[in-house]
Amino acid sequence: MSLTGGKRFGAGRSGRTAATVVAAVAACSGIGWTAVALTSSSTAARPPVTCAYTPTGAGPRTVGVPSFDADSAGRPLTFRLTTGEGTVTVKALTEDAPCATNSFSYLAGKKYFDGSKCHRLTTKGIFVLECGDPAGVGNSDPGYSYPDENLAGAVYPAGTVAVSKAQPGRNGGQFFISYGDPAFRLNPDWTPFGKVVEGLDVVKRIAAKGTASGEPDGAPKEPVVLTAVTVQRP
């Protein structure tokens, strides 16, 4: 996720002090973390789902624009993220975030993530590992964007997987994994689309090594490569 420019979760890494990072995040997010569960599916009837994916131009690894099948929007999906440290298994929130999960599934099928480096780690105030940019810098998208969803009451406790923004207002291929509860409540600005069900310890091991700069916000000290991201359907 990128918090520069007000709502971008992921840029402005090196040279920040811990106080600057926490102050910047607090200013964007507001204090007062409450540990509650991820937003869950409602039992009420849901309106028909439509997803609009808007071309944005060339990215570092463009793979076309996904289509959307409303009939399969709520079907269960599991994502497996394989790294050198181990595998992280994510249960997709297909009913709550159908457009985001459809996009992620599409990109995984196109091997968009394979071989890419996770470009950001935060170790104070907020505790996330951010990945999904093949350029490895956190400012690009896959050649399309789509609107936010699943933001009502959204929170980001440990295990949350949510969409990052390459630029404010532009959801694409970037995402973050929360490996710890944030120290304050974040504004609901990033679409939660999954929950880690296995392998959170993998992310914690990565985080324990710190950043390359030694600051609480920056690239991981040791490169974290997504060797494969796959989709499993029951």
Side-chain angles (χ1 to χ4, degrees), residues 38 155-162 176-179 191-196 200:
L38 288 171
V155 290
Y156 307 94
T160 302
V161 184
F176 66 87
I177 303 171
S178 294
Y179 64 89
T191 295
F193 72 94
K195 182 176 182 179
V196 175
L200 192 59

Side-chain angles (χ1 to χ4, degrees), residues 104-145:
F104 195 87
S105 178
Y106 172 81
L107 293 174
K110 294 290 186 178
K111 300 188 182 301
Y112 175 81
F113 302 112
D114 294 8
S116 64
K117 292 182 180 180
C118 295
H119 54 272
R120 184 189 184 194
L121 175 70
T122 62
T123 61
K124 187 170 184 178
I126 49 177
F127 306 96
V128 303
L129 177 68
E130 187 175 5
C131 314
D133 177 7
V137 293
N139 62 5
S140 60
D141 59 43
Y144 66 86
S145 66

Side-chain angles (χ1 to χ4, degrees), residues 2-12 16 24 28 165 167-169 189-190:
S2 300
L3 283 177
T4 55
K7 291 186 179 179
R8 183 175 178 274
F9 199 113
R16 295 184 178 179
C28 294
K165 293 175 171 62
Q167 299 177 23
D189 292 328
W190 302 278

Side-chain angles (χ1 to χ4, degrees), residues 158-225:
T160 302
V161 184
V163 179
S164 303
K165 293 175 171 62
Q167 299 177 23
R170 279 174 61 164
N171 295 324
Q174 294 186 46
F175 63 96
F176 66 87
I177 303 171
S178 294
Y179 64 89
D181 294 345
F184 38 75
R185 182 164 185 147
L186 299 173
N187 285 341
D189 292 328
W190 302 278
T191 295
F193 72 94
K195 182 176 182 179
V196 175
V197 293
E198 187 176 352
L200 192 59
D201 59 317
V202 172
V203 186
K204 290 181 177 180
R205 283 201 301 271
I206 292 168
K209 298 175 183 179
T211 66
S213 66
E215 296 291 330
D217 185 357
K221 184 175 183 178
E222 295 185 9
V224 180
V225 177

